[in-house]
mmCIF file of all heavy atoms in Angstrom:
data_model
loop_
_atom_site.group_PDB
_atom_site.id
_atom_site.type_symbol
_atom_site.label_atom_id
_atom_site.label_comp_id
_atom_site.label_asym_id
_atom_site.label_seq_id
_atom_site.Cartn_x
_atom_site.Cartn_y
_atom_site.Cartn_z
ATOM 1 N N ASN A 83 8.767 48.754 3.989
ATOM 2 C CA ASN A 83 9.555 49.436 2.958
ATOM 3 C C ASN A 83 8.661 49.882 1.799
ATOM 4 O O ASN A 83 8.824 50.986 1.262
ATOM 5 C CB ASN A 83 10.656 48.512 2.437
ATOM 6 C CG ASN A 83 11.743 48.282 3.473
ATOM 7 O OD1 ASN A 83 11.979 49.137 4.327
ATOM 8 N ND2 ASN A 83 12.407 47.138 3.396
ATOM 9 N N LEU A 84 7.712 49.020 1.422
ATOM 10 C CA LEU A 84 6.794 49.364 0.337
ATOM 11 C C LEU A 84 5.932 50.566 0.708
ATOM 12 O O LEU A 84 5.767 51.505 -0.095
ATOM 13 C CB LEU A 84 5.912 48.154 0.002
ATOM 14 C CG LEU A 84 4.842 48.370 -1.074
ATOM 15 C CD1 LEU A 84 5.490 48.714 -2.418
ATOM 16 C CD2 LEU A 84 3.951 47.135 -1.214
ATOM 17 N N LEU A 85 5.379 50.561 1.930
ATOM 18 C CA LEU A 85 4.524 51.673 2.371
ATOM 19 C C LEU A 85 5.311 52.977 2.438
ATOM 20 O O LEU A 85 4.811 54.043 2.038
ATOM 21 C CB LEU A 85 3.915 51.354 3.741
ATOM 22 C CG LEU A 85 2.876 50.229 3.779
ATOM 23 C CD1 LEU A 85 2.465 49.939 5.227
ATOM 24 C CD2 LEU A 85 1.649 50.598 2.948
ATOM 25 N N ILE A 86 6.544 52.908 2.944
ATOM 26 C CA ILE A 86 7.365 54.122 3.043
ATOM 27 C C ILE A 86 7.695 54.663 1.655
ATOM 28 O O ILE A 86 7.609 55.883 1.406
ATOM 29 C CB ILE A 86 8.651 53.825 3.840
ATOM 30 C CG1 ILE A 86 8.310 53.580 5.315
ATOM 31 C CG2 ILE A 86 9.641 54.972 3.723
ATOM 32 C CD1 ILE A 86 9.493 53.158 6.164
ATOM 33 N N ASN A 87 8.071 53.779 0.746
ATOM 34 C CA ASN A 87 8.401 54.225 -0.617
ATOM 35 C C ASN A 87 7.180 54.834 -1.304
ATOM 36 O O ASN A 87 7.289 55.862 -2.004
ATOM 37 C CB ASN A 87 8.937 53.049 -1.436
ATOM 38 C CG ASN A 87 10.309 52.596 -0.948
ATOM 39 O OD1 ASN A 87 11.064 53.395 -0.385
ATOM 40 N ND2 ASN A 87 10.631 51.326 -1.160
ATOM 41 N N ARG A 88 6.010 54.218 -1.116
ATOM 42 C CA ARG A 88 4.783 54.773 -1.699
ATOM 43 C C ARG A 88 4.487 56.155 -1.121
ATOM 44 O O ARG A 88 4.119 57.091 -1.851
ATOM 45 C CB ARG A 88 3.604 53.841 -1.425
ATOM 46 C CG ARG A 88 3.559 52.593 -2.286
ATOM 47 C CD ARG A 88 2.344 51.772 -1.908
ATOM 48 N NE ARG A 88 2.230 50.552 -2.717
ATOM 49 C CZ ARG A 88 1.288 49.628 -2.521
ATOM 50 N NH1 ARG A 88 0.381 49.799 -1.555
ATOM 51 N NH2 ARG A 88 1.241 48.554 -3.278
ATOM 52 N N TYR A 89 4.658 56.271 0.201
ATOM 53 C CA TYR A 89 4.350 57.552 0.850
ATOM 54 C C TYR A 89 5.302 58.642 0.364
ATOM 55 O O TYR A 89 4.871 59.757 0.040
ATOM 56 C CB TYR A 89 4.450 57.396 2.366
ATOM 57 C CG TYR A 89 4.325 58.706 3.110
ATOM 58 C CD1 TYR A 89 3.090 59.330 3.256
ATOM 59 C CD2 TYR A 89 5.455 59.341 3.630
ATOM 60 C CE1 TYR A 89 2.977 60.545 3.911
ATOM 61 C CE2 TYR A 89 5.349 60.545 4.291
ATOM 62 C CZ TYR A 89 4.113 61.149 4.432
ATOM 63 O OH TYR A 89 4.000 62.355 5.072
ATOM 64 N N LYS A 90 6.585 58.342 0.267
ATOM 65 C CA LYS A 90 7.554 59.345 -0.174
ATOM 66 C C LYS A 90 7.289 59.756 -1.624
ATOM 67 O O LYS A 90 7.408 60.941 -1.970
ATOM 68 C CB LYS A 90 8.970 58.794 -0.022
ATOM 69 C CG LYS A 90 9.425 58.662 1.429
ATOM 70 C CD LYS A 90 10.853 58.140 1.512
ATOM 71 C CE LYS A 90 11.320 58.066 2.954
ATOM 72 N NZ LYS A 90 12.712 57.553 3.071
ATOM 73 N N ALA A 91 6.938 58.778 -2.449
ATOM 74 C CA ALA A 91 6.632 59.099 -3.852
ATOM 75 C C ALA A 91 5.396 59.982 -3.936
ATOM 76 O O ALA A 91 5.335 60.940 -4.732
ATOM 77 C CB ALA A 91 6.426 57.809 -4.641
ATOM 78 N N LYS A 92 4.414 59.686 -3.097
ATOM 79 C CA LYS A 92 3.181 60.476 -3.091
ATOM 80 C C LYS A 92 3.452 61.902 -2.634
ATOM 81 O O LYS A 92 2.913 62.865 -3.194
ATOM 82 C CB LYS A 92 2.163 59.803 -2.173
ATOM 83 C CG LYS A 92 0.806 60.479 -2.145
ATOM 84 C CD LYS A 92 -0.139 59.710 -1.235
ATOM 85 C CE LYS A 92 -1.501 60.374 -1.182
ATOM 86 N NZ LYS A 92 -2.441 59.641 -0.280
ATOM 87 N N VAL A 93 4.321 62.045 -1.621
ATOM 88 C CA VAL A 93 4.656 63.384 -1.123
ATOM 89 C C VAL A 93 5.377 64.178 -2.197
ATOM 90 O O VAL A 93 5.108 65.376 -2.395
ATOM 91 C CB VAL A 93 5.519 63.279 0.150
ATOM 92 C CG1 VAL A 93 6.085 64.640 0.541
ATOM 93 C CG2 VAL A 93 4.691 62.706 1.298
ATOM 94 N N ARG A 94 6.289 63.528 -2.922
ATOM 95 C CA ARG A 94 7.007 64.229 -3.995
ATOM 96 C C ARG A 94 6.042 64.692 -5.083
ATOM 97 O O ARG A 94 6.148 65.817 -5.597
ATOM 98 C CB ARG A 94 8.080 63.311 -4.581
ATOM 99 C CG ARG A 94 9.297 63.144 -3.695
ATOM 100 C CD ARG A 94 10.454 62.526 -4.472
ATOM 101 N NE ARG A 94 10.107 61.184 -4.952
ATOM 102 C CZ ARG A 94 10.363 60.064 -4.268
ATOM 103 N NH1 ARG A 94 10.949 60.145 -3.070
ATOM 104 N NH2 ARG A 94 10.037 58.894 -4.769
ATOM 105 N N GLU A 95 5.104 63.833 -5.430
ATOM 106 C CA GLU A 95 4.132 64.205 -6.462
ATOM 107 C C GLU A 95 3.275 65.380 -6.009
ATOM 108 O O GLU A 95 2.993 66.301 -6.786
ATOM 109 C CB GLU A 95 3.241 63.007 -6.791
ATOM 110 C CG GLU A 95 3.962 61.879 -7.513
ATOM 111 C CD GLU A 95 3.054 60.687 -7.748
ATOM 112 O OE1 GLU A 95 1.870 60.766 -7.343
ATOM 113 O OE2 GLU A 95 3.527 59.687 -8.322
ATOM 114 N N GLU A 96 2.853 65.357 -4.749
ATOM 115 C CA GLU A 96 2.001 66.435 -4.243
ATOM 116 C C GLU A 96 2.779 67.737 -4.115
ATOM 117 O O GLU A 96 2.225 68.825 -4.272
ATOM 118 C CB GLU A 96 1.405 66.026 -2.894
ATOM 119 C CG GLU A 96 0.380 64.895 -3.022
ATOM 120 C CD GLU A 96 -0.089 64.376 -1.674
ATOM 121 O OE1 GLU A 96 0.572 64.711 -0.662
ATOM 122 O OE2 GLU A 96 -1.086 63.644 -1.628
ATOM 123 N N ASP A 97 4.090 67.629 -3.821
ATOM 124 C CA ASP A 97 4.909 68.837 -3.748
ATOM 125 C C ASP A 97 5.074 69.461 -5.128
ATOM 126 O O ASP A 97 5.140 70.696 -5.267
ATOM 127 C CB ASP A 97 6.286 68.503 -3.164
ATOM 128 C CG ASP A 97 6.203 68.201 -1.672
ATOM 129 O OD1 ASP A 97 5.202 68.603 -1.048
ATOM 130 O OD2 ASP A 97 7.140 67.567 -1.129
ATOM 131 N N LEU A 98 5.167 68.606 -6.151
ATOM 132 C CA LEU A 98 5.348 69.122 -7.507
ATOM 133 C C LEU A 98 4.060 69.707 -8.068
ATOM 134 O O LEU A 98 4.086 70.640 -8.879
ATOM 135 C CB LEU A 98 5.854 68.003 -8.430
ATOM 136 C CG LEU A 98 7.276 67.491 -8.127
ATOM 137 C CD1 LEU A 98 7.614 66.306 -9.033
ATOM 138 C CD2 LEU A 98 8.298 68.613 -8.329
ATOM 139 N N ALA A 99 2.927 69.131 -7.644
ATOM 140 C CA ALA A 99 1.643 69.614 -8.150
ATOM 141 C C ALA A 99 1.244 70.873 -7.394
ATOM 142 O O ALA A 99 1.202 70.891 -6.176
ATOM 143 C CB ALA A 99 0.575 68.537 -8.000
ATOM 144 N N SER A 100 0.973 71.940 -8.105
ATOM 145 C CA SER A 100 0.617 73.207 -7.459
ATOM 146 C C SER A 100 -0.826 73.177 -7.001
ATOM 147 O O SER A 100 -1.713 72.677 -7.699
ATOM 148 C CB SER A 100 0.821 74.373 -8.441
ATOM 149 O OG SER A 100 0.012 74.192 -9.588
ATOM 150 N N GLY A 101 -1.045 73.735 -5.802
ATOM 151 C CA GLY A 101 -2.403 73.858 -5.287
ATOM 152 C C GLY A 101 -2.969 72.585 -4.716
ATOM 153 O O GLY A 101 -4.157 72.534 -4.396
ATOM 154 N N ILE A 102 -2.174 71.535 -4.585
ATOM 155 C CA ILE A 102 -2.668 70.280 -4.032
ATOM 156 C C ILE A 102 -2.006 70.058 -2.679
ATOM 157 O O ILE A 102 -0.777 70.013 -2.578
ATOM 158 C CB ILE A 102 -2.364 69.088 -4.958
ATOM 159 C CG1 ILE A 102 -3.017 69.308 -6.331
ATOM 160 C CG2 ILE A 102 -2.824 67.780 -4.340
ATOM 161 C CD1 ILE A 102 -2.709 68.210 -7.319
ATOM 162 N N SER A 103 -2.815 69.965 -1.658
ATOM 163 C CA SER A 103 -2.278 69.744 -0.315
ATOM 164 C C SER A 103 -2.198 68.253 -0.036
ATOM 165 O O SER A 103 -3.029 67.484 -0.519
ATOM 166 C CB SER A 103 -3.172 70.417 0.737
ATOM 167 O OG SER A 103 -4.481 69.886 0.658
ATOM 168 N N PRO A 104 -1.219 67.815 0.728
ATOM 169 C CA PRO A 104 -1.073 66.387 1.023
ATOM 170 C C PRO A 104 -2.277 65.853 1.777
ATOM 171 O O PRO A 104 -2.934 66.568 2.529
ATOM 172 C CB PRO A 104 0.191 66.338 1.905
ATOM 173 C CG PRO A 104 0.899 67.625 1.635
ATOM 174 C CD PRO A 104 -0.169 68.627 1.332
ATOM 175 N N ASP A 105 -2.587 64.577 1.513
ATOM 176 C CA ASP A 105 -3.681 63.929 2.240
ATOM 177 C C ASP A 105 -3.337 63.848 3.720
ATOM 178 O O ASP A 105 -2.187 63.634 4.106
ATOM 179 C CB ASP A 105 -3.916 62.516 1.688
ATOM 180 C CG ASP A 105 -4.467 62.575 0.267
ATOM 181 O OD1 ASP A 105 -5.031 63.624 -0.085
ATOM 182 O OD2 ASP A 105 -4.307 61.574 -0.461
ATOM 183 N N ASP A 106 -4.365 64.002 4.532
ATOM 184 C CA ASP A 106 -4.156 63.992 5.981
ATOM 185 C C ASP A 106 -4.893 62.819 6.611
ATOM 186 O O ASP A 106 -5.473 62.947 7.677
ATOM 187 C CB ASP A 106 -4.629 65.321 6.582
ATOM 188 C CG ASP A 106 -4.112 65.502 8.005
ATOM 189 O OD1 ASP A 106 -3.120 64.822 8.362
ATOM 190 O OD2 ASP A 106 -4.707 66.295 8.761
ATOM 191 N N ASP A 107 -4.887 61.657 5.938
ATOM 192 C CA ASP A 107 -5.567 60.499 6.507
ATOM 193 C C ASP A 107 -4.681 59.865 7.578
ATOM 194 O O ASP A 107 -3.499 60.198 7.731
ATOM 195 C CB ASP A 107 -5.904 59.489 5.409
ATOM 196 C CG ASP A 107 -4.661 59.018 4.678
ATOM 197 O OD1 ASP A 107 -4.239 59.736 3.732
ATOM 198 O OD2 ASP A 107 -4.093 57.994 5.070
ATOM 199 N N GLU A 108 -5.257 58.926 8.330
ATOM 200 C CA GLU A 108 -4.558 58.333 9.480
ATOM 201 C C GLU A 108 -3.294 57.606 9.056
ATOM 202 O O GLU A 108 -2.235 57.759 9.676
ATOM 203 C CB GLU A 108 -5.491 57.370 10.221
ATOM 204 C CG GLU A 108 -4.866 56.764 11.472
ATOM 205 C CD GLU A 108 -5.822 55.842 12.205
ATOM 206 O OE1 GLU A 108 -6.946 55.622 11.696
ATOM 207 O OE2 GLU A 108 -5.440 55.341 13.285
ATOM 208 N N LEU A 109 -3.364 56.817 7.994
ATOM 209 C CA LEU A 109 -2.198 56.053 7.556
ATOM 210 C C LEU A 109 -1.075 56.982 7.109
ATOM 211 O O LEU A 109 0.098 56.765 7.441
ATOM 212 C CB LEU A 109 -2.585 55.101 6.424
ATOM 213 C CG LEU A 109 -1.452 54.231 5.878
ATOM 214 C CD1 LEU A 109 -0.854 53.365 6.978
ATOM 215 C CD2 LEU A 109 -1.951 53.359 4.718
ATOM 216 N N SER A 110 -1.420 58.049 6.381
ATOM 217 C CA SER A 110 -0.397 58.992 5.921
ATOM 218 C C SER A 110 0.282 59.672 7.104
ATOM 219 O O SER A 110 1.506 59.874 7.113
ATOM 220 C CB SER A 110 -1.022 60.036 4.992
ATOM 221 O OG SER A 110 -1.542 59.426 3.826
ATOM 222 N N SER A 111 -0.515 60.040 8.113
ATOM 223 C CA SER A 111 0.058 60.684 9.303
ATOM 224 C C SER A 111 1.033 59.751 10.015
ATOM 225 O O SER A 111 2.124 60.161 10.442
ATOM 226 C CB SER A 111 -1.058 61.104 10.261
ATOM 227 O OG SER A 111 -1.916 62.043 9.649
ATOM 228 N N MET A 112 0.657 58.485 10.125
ATOM 229 C CA MET A 112 1.537 57.533 10.799
ATOM 230 C C MET A 112 2.783 57.251 9.976
ATOM 231 O O MET A 112 3.887 57.128 10.522
ATOM 232 C CB MET A 112 0.771 56.237 11.095
ATOM 233 C CG MET A 112 -0.262 56.390 12.205
ATOM 234 S SD MET A 112 -0.956 54.810 12.758
ATOM 235 C CE MET A 112 -1.896 54.344 11.303
ATOM 236 N N LEU A 113 2.633 57.164 8.656
ATOM 237 C CA LEU A 113 3.805 56.946 7.804
ATOM 238 C C LEU A 113 4.749 58.138 7.855
ATOM 239 O O LEU A 113 5.978 57.978 7.796
ATOM 240 C CB LEU A 113 3.361 56.680 6.360
ATOM 241 C CG LEU A 113 2.700 55.321 6.114
ATOM 242 C CD1 LEU A 113 2.156 55.235 4.689
ATOM 243 C CD2 LEU A 113 3.695 54.187 6.375
ATOM 244 N N GLU A 114 4.186 59.339 7.964
ATOM 245 C CA GLU A 114 5.027 60.529 8.104
ATOM 246 C C GLU A 114 5.850 60.445 9.392
ATOM 247 O O GLU A 114 7.049 60.741 9.412
ATOM 248 C CB GLU A 114 4.156 61.786 8.110
ATOM 249 C CG GLU A 114 4.972 63.071 8.251
ATOM 250 C CD GLU A 114 4.091 64.303 8.297
ATOM 251 O OE1 GLU A 114 2.842 64.145 8.332
ATOM 252 O OE2 GLU A 114 4.642 65.420 8.310
ATOM 253 N N GLU A 115 5.198 60.027 10.473
ATOM 254 C CA GLU A 115 5.901 59.894 11.752
ATOM 255 C C GLU A 115 6.957 58.794 11.678
ATOM 256 O O GLU A 115 8.059 58.932 12.226
ATOM 257 C CB GLU A 115 4.894 59.590 12.867
ATOM 258 C CG GLU A 115 5.505 59.613 14.261
ATOM 259 C CD GLU A 115 4.459 59.452 15.345
ATOM 260 O OE1 GLU A 115 3.244 59.494 15.012
ATOM 261 O OE2 GLU A 115 4.854 59.277 16.516
ATOM 262 N N ILE A 116 6.631 57.704 10.989
ATOM 263 C CA ILE A 116 7.600 56.615 10.831
ATOM 264 C C ILE A 116 8.808 57.091 10.030
ATOM 265 O O ILE A 116 9.960 56.779 10.368
ATOM 266 C CB ILE A 116 6.933 55.402 10.151
ATOM 267 C CG1 ILE A 116 5.930 54.753 11.110
ATOM 268 C CG2 ILE A 116 7.985 54.378 9.722
ATOM 269 C CD1 ILE A 116 5.105 53.644 10.477
ATOM 270 N N CYS A 117 8.555 57.869 8.974
ATOM 271 C CA CYS A 117 9.660 58.403 8.173
ATOM 272 C C CYS A 117 10.547 59.331 9.008
ATOM 273 O O CYS A 117 11.782 59.330 8.867
ATOM 274 C CB CYS A 117 9.115 59.148 6.952
ATOM 275 S SG CYS A 117 8.384 58.062 5.698
ATOM 276 N N ASP A 118 9.909 60.142 9.860
ATOM 277 C CA ASP A 118 10.682 61.026 10.740
ATOM 278 C C ASP A 118 11.560 60.209 11.685
ATOM 279 O O ASP A 118 12.732 60.541 11.919
ATOM 280 C CB ASP A 118 9.742 61.926 11.540
ATOM 281 C CG ASP A 118 9.033 62.939 10.654
ATOM 282 O OD1 ASP A 118 9.536 63.199 9.531
ATOM 283 O OD2 ASP A 118 7.982 63.465 11.075
ATOM 284 N N LYS A 119 10.997 59.148 12.247
ATOM 285 C CA LYS A 119 11.773 58.287 13.143
ATOM 286 C C LYS A 119 12.935 57.625 12.398
ATOM 287 O O LYS A 119 14.047 57.512 12.924
ATOM 288 C CB LYS A 119 10.870 57.212 13.758
ATOM 289 C CG LYS A 119 9.954 57.707 14.867
ATOM 290 C CD LYS A 119 9.118 56.563 15.405
ATOM 291 C CE LYS A 119 8.286 57.004 16.603
ATOM 292 N NZ LYS A 119 9.134 57.264 17.793
ATOM 293 N N GLU A 120 12.651 57.199 11.157
ATOM 294 C CA GLU A 120 13.693 56.544 10.371
ATOM 295 C C GLU A 120 14.822 57.517 10.043
ATOM 296 O O GLU A 120 16.008 57.171 10.111
ATOM 297 C CB GLU A 120 13.095 55.980 9.083
ATOM 298 C CG GLU A 120 14.090 55.155 8.271
ATOM 299 C CD GLU A 120 13.455 54.588 7.016
ATOM 300 O OE1 GLU A 120 12.844 55.382 6.271
ATOM 301 O OE2 GLU A 120 13.553 53.373 6.799
ATOM 302 N N GLU A 121 14.450 58.759 9.698
ATOM 303 C CA GLU A 121 15.465 59.759 9.380
ATOM 304 C C GLU A 121 16.297 60.098 10.616
ATOM 305 O O GLU A 121 17.526 60.227 10.544
ATOM 306 C CB GLU A 121 14.790 61.019 8.830
ATOM 307 C CG GLU A 121 15.790 62.071 8.357
ATOM 308 C CD GLU A 121 15.102 63.265 7.716
ATOM 309 O OE1 GLU A 121 13.850 63.226 7.573
ATOM 310 O OE2 GLU A 121 15.807 64.219 7.361
ATOM 311 N N GLU A 122 15.615 60.240 11.741
ATOM 312 C CA GLU A 122 16.342 60.514 12.987
ATOM 313 C C GLU A 122 17.262 59.351 13.337
ATOM 314 O O GLU A 122 18.384 59.537 13.801
ATOM 315 C CB GLU A 122 15.345 60.754 14.126
ATOM 316 C CG GLU A 122 16.015 61.085 15.457
ATOM 317 C CD GLU A 122 15.001 61.292 16.561
ATOM 318 O OE1 GLU A 122 13.789 61.216 16.279
ATOM 319 O OE2 GLU A 122 15.426 61.518 17.712
ATOM 320 N N TRP A 123 16.770 58.138 13.107
ATOM 321 C CA TRP A 123 17.580 56.951 13.382
ATOM 322 C C TRP A 123 18.827 56.921 12.507
ATOM 323 O O TRP A 123 19.907 56.539 12.947
ATOM 324 C CB TRP A 123 16.724 55.709 13.149
ATOM 325 C CG TRP A 123 17.501 54.424 13.213
ATOM 326 C CD1 TRP A 123 17.839 53.720 14.313
ATOM 327 C CD2 TRP A 123 18.039 53.702 12.103
ATOM 328 N NE1 TRP A 123 18.554 52.601 13.981
ATOM 329 C CE2 TRP A 123 18.696 52.564 12.616
ATOM 330 C CE3 TRP A 123 18.032 53.900 10.724
ATOM 331 C CZ2 TRP A 123 19.335 51.633 11.808
ATOM 332 C CZ3 TRP A 123 18.670 52.973 9.914
ATOM 333 C CH2 TRP A 123 19.312 51.854 10.454
ATOM 334 N N MET A 124 18.687 57.353 11.229
ATOM 335 C CA MET A 124 19.823 57.348 10.310
ATOM 336 C C MET A 124 20.875 58.364 10.729
ATOM 337 O O MET A 124 22.079 58.133 10.570
ATOM 338 C CB MET A 124 19.348 57.637 8.884
ATOM 339 C CG MET A 124 18.492 56.523 8.282
ATOM 340 S SD MET A 124 17.862 56.926 6.632
ATOM 341 C CE MET A 124 19.405 57.048 5.714
ATOM 342 N N HIS A 125 20.441 59.521 11.262
ATOM 343 C CA HIS A 125 21.393 60.547 11.687
ATOM 344 C C HIS A 125 21.961 60.267 13.080
ATOM 345 O O HIS A 125 23.069 60.704 13.401
ATOM 346 C CB HIS A 125 20.725 61.932 11.677
ATOM 347 C CG HIS A 125 20.476 62.453 10.295
ATOM 348 N ND1 HIS A 125 19.333 62.149 9.582
ATOM 349 C CD2 HIS A 125 21.224 63.245 9.476
ATOM 350 C CE1 HIS A 125 19.377 62.737 8.392
ATOM 351 N NE2 HIS A 125 20.513 63.409 8.298
ATOM 352 N N ASN A 126 21.208 59.580 13.905
ATOM 353 C CA ASN A 126 21.656 59.254 15.266
ATOM 354 C C ASN A 126 21.468 57.761 15.502
ATOM 355 O O ASN A 126 20.451 57.339 16.058
ATOM 356 C CB ASN A 126 20.858 60.047 16.307
ATOM 357 C CG ASN A 126 21.032 61.541 16.130
ATOM 358 O OD1 ASN A 126 22.100 62.082 16.334
ATOM 359 N ND2 ASN A 126 19.950 62.202 15.730
ATOM 360 N N PRO A 127 22.414 56.974 15.036
ATOM 361 C CA PRO A 127 22.283 55.517 15.204
ATOM 362 C C PRO A 127 22.092 55.155 16.667
ATOM 363 O O PRO A 127 22.823 55.635 17.531
ATOM 364 C CB PRO A 127 23.624 54.979 14.683
ATOM 365 C CG PRO A 127 24.126 56.049 13.772
ATOM 366 C CD PRO A 127 23.648 57.346 14.366
#
Side-chain angles (χ1 to χ4, degrees):
N83 290 332
L84 177 63
L85 291 174
I86 290 175
N87 291 333
R88 284 180 179 176
Y89 173 75
K90 289 181 178 180
K92 184 178 180 181
V93 170
R94 285 195 298 268
E95 291 177 0
E96 291 173 346
D97 288 340
L98 293 175
S100 60
I102 301 177
S103 59
D105 292 338
D106 195 20
D107 59 276
E108 183 179 4
L109 180 59
S110 297
S111 298
M112 288 190 292
L113 288 173
E114 180 182 6
E115 187 174 351
I116 290 173
C117 289
D118 292 340
K119 284 180 175 290
E120 186 179 51
E121 185 176 356
E122 182 181 358
W123 172 83
M124 292 177 64
H125 288 87
N126 299 293

